[in-house]
Amino acid sequence: MLSMQQNQLKGSLMLFFCALIWGLAFVAQSVGADHVGPFTFNGIRSLIGAAFLIPCVAFFDHLAGKPLSIWGTDNKTERQDLITGGIICGIVLTVASTLQQLGIGYTTVGKAGFITTLYIVIVPLLGLIVHKTVTRLQWISVFIAAVGMYFICITESFSVNYGDMIILACACFFALHIITIERFSVMVDGVRMSLLQFAVCGILSLPAIFIYETPTWAALDQAWLPILYAGIMSCGIAYTLQILGQKYVNVVLASIILSLESVFSVLAGWLLLGQQLALREIFGCALVFAAILLAQLPPKRR
């Protein structure tokens, strides 16, 4: 039996790799937005993510010695929790990812990354509404991380435009998504809930594709690689790691670790694309890492 500290470390590592994949996905989303609309991008990538997870569910059932089944349990309550959690998470994720993909076409990747990761401030505020305890140390960590995000992402003169407001709305829904996952992740099979939320997200996006957008084969041919990365890596793997990781990690700490996606997007541009890393960006990265380490500290006992 793993101790509480070991479980938190395991969950933190899962969220760390989730943030790494998401950081690289910002580039894929930006490239995809140049060729296809937000409903097309998110609809196809969500269905790819769901399809990717089907053999994963079968594989994990086989490892556990369980007979293959759709829901993975005969318990009616657990099955209902799985269906409810998957549908709610899928609806919230559909709204959040559509707003993000729409907004990223009207603003810079840096500003989109910063505004999206404002969920690190929104999550504890929502936590207070649902009577979650937020310690003084966690509030300090949230503030330090938010300042770090600013130094990393805002390199141009700050101004607010239409795209920024859309991304801000997206950050609110991503915060709600994190809160919702915390509610259901401890109750259900994480891989199955991830599969179900992407199936819901893909199904909800399909009608909007034909109503609001007119994707062409030529556009899809230009965007297939970003969509494939977002489908398999960002959806199939990263979001599943988020659900599994949040079983063991406090929701405020989880939001801070996930905010590393902006750090990794900047570092990836530096390492892979040869983009210069300014001193302020290095300082911002250091602040975010410091905030994560600070949030890991146990609260002082009276």
Coordinates of all heavy atoms in Angstrom, one line a residue, residues 105-157:
G105 N -7.1 31.7 -32.7 CA -7.0 32.2 -34.0 C -7.0 33.7 -34.1 O -6.8 34.3 -35.1
Y106 N -7.3 34.4 -32.9 CA -7.4 35.9 -32.9 C -6.4 36.5 -32.0 O -6.4 37.7 -31.8 CB -8.8 36.3 -32.4 CG -9.9 35.9 -33.3 CD1 -10.6 34.7 -33.1 CD2 -10.3 36.7 -34.4 CE1 -11.7 34.4 -34.0 CE2 -11.3 36.4 -35.3 CZ -12.0 35.2 -35.1 OH -13.0 34.9 -35.9
T107 N -5.5 35.7 -31.3 CA -4.5 36.3 -30.5 C -3.2 35.5 -30.6 O -3.1 34.5 -31.4 CB -5.0 36.2 -29.0 OG1 -4.1 37.0 -28.2 CG2 -5.1 34.8 -28.5
T108 N -2.2 35.9 -29.9 CA -0.9 35.2 -30.0 C -0.9 34.0 -29.2 O -1.6 33.9 -28.2 CB 0.3 36.2 -29.6 OG1 0.1 36.5 -28.2 CG2 0.3 37.5 -30.4
V109 N 0.0 33.0 -29.5 CA 0.1 31.8 -28.7 C 0.6 32.1 -27.3 O 0.1 31.5 -26.3 CB 1.2 30.9 -29.4 CG1 1.4 29.7 -28.5 CG2 0.6 30.4 -30.7
G110 N 1.5 33.1 -27.1 CA 1.9 33.5 -25.8 C 0.8 34.0 -24.9 O 0.7 33.6 -23.8
K111 N 0.0 34.9 -25.4 CA -1.1 35.4 -24.7 C -2.2 34.4 -24.4 O -2.8 34.3 -23.3 CB -1.7 36.6 -25.4 CG -0.9 37.9 -25.3 CD -1.4 39.0 -26.2 CE -2.7 39.6 -25.5 NZ -3.2 40.8 -26.3
A112 N -2.4 33.5 -25.4 CA -3.4 32.4 -25.2 C -2.9 31.5 -24.1 O -3.7 31.1 -23.3 CB -3.5 31.6 -26.5
G113 N -1.6 31.2 -24.1 CA -1.1 30.3 -23.0 C -1.2 31.0 -21.6 O -1.6 30.3 -20.7
F114 N -0.9 32.3 -21.5 CA -1.0 32.9 -20.2 C -2.5 33.0 -19.8 O -2.8 32.7 -18.6 CB -0.5 34.3 -20.4 CG -0.8 35.2 -19.1 CD1 -0.2 34.9 -17.9 CD2 -1.6 36.3 -19.2 CE1 -0.4 35.7 -16.8 CE2 -1.9 37.0 -18.1 CZ -1.3 36.8 -16.9
I115 N -3.4 33.4 -20.6 CA -4.8 33.6 -20.2 C -5.4 32.2 -19.9 O -6.2 32.1 -18.9 CB -5.6 34.3 -21.3 CG1 -5.0 35.7 -21.5 CG2 -7.0 34.4 -20.9 CD1 -5.6 36.5 -22.7
T116 N -5.1 31.2 -20.7 CA -5.6 29.9 -20.4 C -5.2 29.4 -19.0 O -6.0 28.9 -18.2 CB -5.1 28.8 -21.4 OG1 -5.6 29.2 -22.7 CG2 -5.6 27.4 -21.1
T117 N -3.9 29.6 -18.7 CA -3.4 29.1 -17.4 C -3.9 30.0 -16.2 O -3.5 29.7 -15.0 CB -1.9 29.0 -17.4 OG1 -1.3 30.2 -17.9 CG2 -1.4 27.9 -18.3
L118 N -4.7 31.0 -16.4 CA -5.3 31.7 -15.3 C -6.3 30.8 -14.6 O -6.8 31.2 -13.5 CB -6.0 33.0 -15.8 CG -5.1 34.2 -16.2 CD1 -6.0 35.3 -16.7 CD2 -4.3 34.6 -15.0
Y119 N -6.5 29.6 -15.1 CA -7.3 28.7 -14.3 C -6.7 28.4 -12.9 O -7.3 27.9 -12.0 CB -7.6 27.4 -15.0 CG -6.4 26.6 -15.5 CD1 -5.5 26.0 -14.7 CD2 -6.2 26.4 -16.9 CE1 -4.5 25.2 -15.1 CE2 -5.2 25.6 -17.4 CZ -4.3 25.0 -16.5 OH -3.2 24.3 -17.0
I120 N -5.3 28.6 -12.8 CA -4.7 28.4 -11.5 C -5.2 29.4 -10.5 O -5.2 29.1 -9.2 CB -3.2 28.5 -11.6 CG1 -2.7 29.9 -12.0 CG2 -2.6 27.5 -12.5 CD1 -1.3 30.2 -12.0
V121 N -5.8 30.5 -10.9 CA -6.4 31.4 -10.0 C -7.9 31.1 -9.8 O -8.5 31.2 -8.7 CB -6.2 32.9 -10.4 CG1 -7.0 33.9 -9.5 CG2 -4.8 33.3 -10.5
I122 N -8.5 30.7 -10.9 CA -10.0 30.5 -10.9 C -10.3 29.2 -10.1 O -11.3 29.2 -9.4 CB -10.5 30.3 -12.4 CG1 -10.2 31.6 -13.1 CG2 -12.0 30.1 -12.4 CD1 -10.4 31.5 -14.6
V123 N -9.5 28.2 -10.2 CA -9.7 26.9 -9.5 C -9.9 27.1 -8.0 O -10.9 26.6 -7.4 CB -8.7 25.9 -9.8 CG1 -8.7 24.7 -8.8 CG2 -8.8 25.3 -11.2
P124 N -9.0 27.8 -7.3 CA -9.2 27.9 -5.9 C -10.4 28.8 -5.5 O -11.1 28.6 -4.5 CB -7.9 28.6 -5.3 CG -7.2 29.1 -6.5 CD -7.6 28.2 -7.7
L125 N -10.8 29.8 -6.4 CA -11.9 30.6 -6.2 C -13.2 29.7 -6.3 O -14.1 29.8 -5.5 CB -12.0 31.7 -7.2 CG -10.9 32.8 -7.1 CD1 -11.0 33.8 -8.2 CD2 -11.0 33.5 -5.7
L126 N -13.2 28.8 -7.3 CA -14.4 27.9 -7.5 C -14.4 26.9 -6.3 O -15.4 26.5 -5.8 CB -14.3 27.1 -8.8 CG -14.5 27.9 -10.1 CD1 -14.3 27.0 -11.3 CD2 -15.9 28.5 -10.1
G127 N -13.2 26.6 -5.8 CA -13.1 25.7 -4.7 C -13.7 26.3 -3.4 O -14.4 25.6 -2.7
L128 N -13.6 27.6 -3.3 CA -14.2 28.2 -2.1 C -15.8 28.1 -2.2 O -16.5 28.0 -1.2 CB -13.8 29.7 -2.0 CG -12.3 29.9 -1.7 CD1 -12.0 31.4 -1.7 CD2 -12.0 29.4 -0.3
I129 N -16.3 28.3 -3.4 CA -17.7 28.2 -3.6 C -18.3 26.9 -3.2 O -19.4 26.8 -2.7 CB -18.1 28.5 -5.1 CG1 -17.6 30.0 -5.5 CG2 -19.5 28.3 -5.4 CD1 -17.8 30.3 -6.9
V130 N -17.5 25.8 -3.5 CA -18.0 24.4 -3.2 C -17.4 24.0 -1.9 O -17.3 22.8 -1.6 CB -17.6 23.4 -4.3 CG1 -18.4 23.8 -5.6 CG2 -16.2 23.4 -4.6
H131 N -16.9 25.0 -1.0 CA -16.4 24.7 0.3 C -15.2 23.8 0.4 O -15.1 23.0 1.3 CB -17.6 24.1 1.2 CG -18.9 24.8 1.1 ND1 -19.0 26.1 1.7 CD2 -20.1 24.5 0.6 CE1 -20.2 26.5 1.5 NE2 -20.9 25.6 0.8
K132 N -14.3 24.0 -0.6 CA -13.0 23.4 -0.5 C -12.0 24.3 0.3 O -12.1 25.5 0.3 CB -12.4 23.2 -1.9 CG -13.1 22.2 -2.8 CD -12.8 20.8 -2.4 CE -13.5 19.8 -3.3 NZ -13.3 18.4 -2.9
T133 N -11.2 23.6 1.1 CA -10.2 24.3 1.9 C -9.0 24.7 1.1 O -8.4 23.8 0.4 CB -9.7 23.5 3.1 OG1 -10.9 23.2 3.9 CG2 -8.7 24.3 4.0
V134 N -8.6 26.0 1.0 CA -7.4 26.5 0.3 C -6.5 27.1 1.4 O -6.9 28.1 2.0 CB -7.8 27.5 -0.8 CG1 -6.5 27.9 -1.5 CG2 -8.8 26.9 -1.7
T135 N -5.3 26.5 1.6 CA -4.4 27.0 2.6 C -3.7 28.3 2.2 O -3.7 28.6 1.0 CB -3.4 25.9 2.9 OG1 -2.5 25.7 1.8 CG2 -4.0 24.6 3.3
R136 N -3.2 29.0 3.1 CA -2.4 30.2 2.8 C -1.2 29.9 1.9 O -0.9 30.7 1.0 CB -1.9 30.8 4.1 CG -1.1 32.1 3.9 CD -0.6 32.6 5.2 NE -1.6 32.9 6.2 CZ -1.4 33.3 7.5 NH1 -0.1 33.4 7.9 NH2 -2.4 33.5 8.3
L137 N -0.6 28.7 2.1 CA 0.6 28.4 1.3 C 0.1 28.1 -0.1 O 0.8 28.5 -1.1 CB 1.2 27.1 1.9 CG 2.6 26.7 1.4 CD1 3.6 27.8 1.8 CD2 3.0 25.4 2.0
Q138 N -1.0 27.6 -0.3 CA -1.5 27.4 -1.7 C -1.9 28.7 -2.4 O -1.6 28.9 -3.6 CB -2.8 26.5 -1.7 CG -2.4 25.0 -1.3 CD -3.7 24.2 -1.1 OE1 -4.7 24.7 -0.8 NE2 -3.5 22.8 -1.2
W139 N -2.5 29.6 -1.6 CA -2.8 30.9 -2.2 C -1.5 31.6 -2.6 O -1.4 32.3 -3.7 CB -3.5 31.8 -1.2 CG -5.0 31.6 -1.2 CD1 -5.7 31.1 -0.1 CD2 -5.9 31.8 -2.2 NE1 -7.0 31.0 -0.4 CE2 -7.2 31.4 -1.7 CE3 -5.8 32.2 -3.5 CZ2 -8.4 31.5 -2.5 CZ3 -7.0 32.3 -4.3 CH2 -8.2 31.9 -3.8
I140 N -0.4 31.5 -1.8 CA 0.9 32.1 -2.1 C 1.4 31.5 -3.4 O 1.9 32.2 -4.3 CB 1.9 32.0 -1.0 CG1 1.4 32.8 0.2 CG2 3.3 32.4 -1.4 CD1 2.2 32.6 1.5
S141 N 1.3 30.1 -3.5 CA 1.8 29.4 -4.7 C 1.1 29.8 -5.9 O 1.7 30.0 -7.0 CB 1.6 27.9 -4.4 OG 2.4 27.5 -3.3
V142 N -0.3 30.0 -5.8 CA -1.1 30.4 -6.9 C -0.6 31.8 -7.4 O -0.5 32.0 -8.6 CB -2.6 30.4 -6.5 CG1 -3.4 31.2 -7.6 CG2 -3.1 29.0 -6.4
F143 N -0.4 32.7 -6.5 CA 0.0 34.1 -6.9 C 1.4 34.0 -7.6 O 1.6 34.7 -8.6 CB 0.1 35.0 -5.6 CG 0.6 36.3 -5.9 CD1 -0.1 37.3 -6.5 CD2 1.9 36.7 -5.5 CE1 0.3 38.6 -6.8 CE2 2.5 37.9 -5.8 CZ 1.6 38.9 -6.4
I144 N 2.3 33.3 -7.0 CA 3.7 33.2 -7.6 C 3.6 32.6 -9.0 O 4.3 33.1 -9.9 CB 4.6 32.4 -6.7 CG1 4.9 33.1 -5.4 CG2 6.0 32.1 -7.4 CD1 5.7 32.3 -4.4
A145 N 2.8 31.5 -9.2 CA 2.7 30.9 -10.5 C 2.0 31.8 -11.5 O 2.4 31.9 -12.7 CB 1.8 29.6 -10.3
A146 N 1.0 32.6 -11.1 CA 0.4 33.6 -12.0 C 1.4 34.6 -12.4 O 1.4 35.0 -13.6 CB -0.8 34.2 -11.3
V147 N 2.2 35.1 -11.5 CA 3.2 36.1 -11.9 C 4.2 35.5 -12.9 O 4.6 36.1 -13.9 CB 3.9 36.6 -10.7 CG1 5.1 37.5 -11.0 CG2 3.0 37.4 -9.8
G148 N 4.6 34.2 -12.6 CA 5.5 33.5 -13.5 C 4.9 33.3 -14.9 O 5.6 33.5 -15.9
M149 N 3.6 33.0 -15.0 CA 3.0 32.9 -16.3 C 3.0 34.2 -17.0 O 3.2 34.2 -18.3 CB 1.5 32.5 -16.1 CG 1.3 31.0 -15.6 SD 1.9 29.8 -16.8 CE 3.4 29.3 -16.0
Y150 N 2.8 35.3 -16.3 CA 2.9 36.6 -17.0 C 4.3 36.9 -17.6 O 4.4 37.3 -18.8 CB 2.6 37.7 -16.0 CG 2.7 39.1 -16.6 CD1 1.6 39.6 -17.3 CD2 3.8 39.9 -16.5 CE1 1.7 40.9 -17.9 CE2 3.9 41.1 -17.1 CZ 2.9 41.6 -17.8 OH 3.0 42.8 -18.4
F151 N 5.3 36.6 -16.9 CA 6.7 36.8 -17.4 C 7.0 35.9 -18.6 O 7.7 36.3 -19.5 CB 7.7 36.7 -16.3 CG 7.8 37.9 -15.4 CD1 7.4 37.8 -14.1 CD2 8.4 39.0 -15.8 CE1 7.5 38.9 -13.2 CE2 8.5 40.2 -15.0 CZ 8.0 40.1 -13.7
I152 N 6.4 34.7 -18.5 CA 6.7 33.7 -19.6 C 6.0 34.1 -20.9 O 6.6 34.1 -22.0 CB 6.3 32.3 -19.2 CG1 7.2 31.8 -18.1 CG2 6.3 31.3 -20.4 CD1 6.7 30.5 -17.4
C153 N 4.7 34.4 -20.8 CA 3.8 34.5 -22.0 C 3.7 35.9 -22.5 O 3.4 36.1 -23.7 CB 2.5 33.9 -21.6 SG 2.5 32.2 -21.1
I154 N 3.7 36.9 -21.7 CA 3.4 38.3 -22.1 C 4.7 39.0 -22.4 O 5.3 39.6 -21.6 CB 2.6 39.1 -21.1 CG1 1.3 38.3 -20.8 CG2 2.2 40.5 -21.7 CD1 0.4 38.0 -21.9
T155 N 5.2 38.9 -23.7 CA 6.4 39.5 -24.1 C 6.2 40.8 -24.9 O 7.1 41.6 -25.1 CB 7.3 38.6 -24.9 OG1 6.5 38.1 -26.0 CG2 7.7 37.4 -24.1
E156 N 5.0 41.0 -25.4 CA 4.6 42.2 -26.1 C 3.9 43.1 -25.2 O 3.5 42.8 -24.1 CB 3.8 41.9 -27.4 CG 2.4 41.4 -27.1 CD 2.4 39.9 -27.0 OE1 3.5 39.3 -26.7 OE2 1.3 39.3 -27.1
S157 N 3.6 44.3 -25.7 CA 2.8 45.3 -24.8 C 1.4 44.6 -24.7 O 0.8 44.2 -25.6 CB 2.7 46.6 -25.5 OG 2.1 46.5 -26.8

